[in-house]
Amino acid sequence: QVQLVESGGGLVQAGGSLRLSCAASRLTSSTYAMGWFRHAPGKEREFVAAVSWDGGSTKYADSVKGRFTISRDNAKNTVYLQMNSLKPEDTAVYSCATHYGTAIMTVAVEYDYWGQGTQVTVSS
């Protein structure tokens, strides 16, 4: 069974930066995309960013474009989310997920495996 473990969350002031990491293990295929979602209290889970299996393509939610950057290191089976210029509205539990295939999916139900999530809190 695929295992995903996030790390790097924490408390940061508005305007600050954090880098989240997601380490994957027991992957059964090298052709997979990795994505980040976030879930804030009282709101539905929303797509944040995703990267294709080879790192050649990325997608971002409009709310994070220009501030967040997703990348991956397949040799380490790890995906990163660099978050800059953080805002209080970015506060949420951030989860990484993976799905098999060459296309990049932006809908949560398309993803096959999920991590436990890491809390990001941005104070004003």
Side-chain angles (χ1 to χ4, degrees), residues 15-99:
S17 299
L18 286 173
R19 188 179 76 158
L20 306 183
S21 298
C22 174
S25 63
R26 298 179 63 83
L27 290 172
T28 58
S29 174
S30 61
T31 305
Y32 63 95
M34 299 290 292
W36 288 95
F37 291 78
R38 64 188 182 186
H39 193 181
K43 297 183 179 181
E44 295 185 358
R45 180 180 295 161
E46 68 172 334
F47 170 78
V48 177
V51 60
S52 62
W53 71 275
D54 61 355
S57 299
T58 58
K59 289 185 178 180
Y60 296 93
D62 289 341
S63 60
V64 305
K65 286 182 179 178
R67 300 189 298 122
F68 291 9
T69 302
I70 188 170
S71 62
R72 68 189 301 164
D73 185 343
N74 286 349
K76 298 180 179 179
N77 289 323
T78 301
V79 63
Y80 305 95
L81 185 67
Q82 178 67 46
M83 305 185 294
N84 299 325
S85 301
L86 283 163
K87 306 174 181 179
E89 62 211 62
D90 294 318
T91 296
V93 174
Y94 284 71
S95 299
C96 74
T98 184
H99 70 80

Side-chain angles (χ1 to χ4, degrees), residues 33 52 99-105:
S52 62
H99 70 80
Y100 297 103
T102 57
I104 298 177
M105 302 297 181

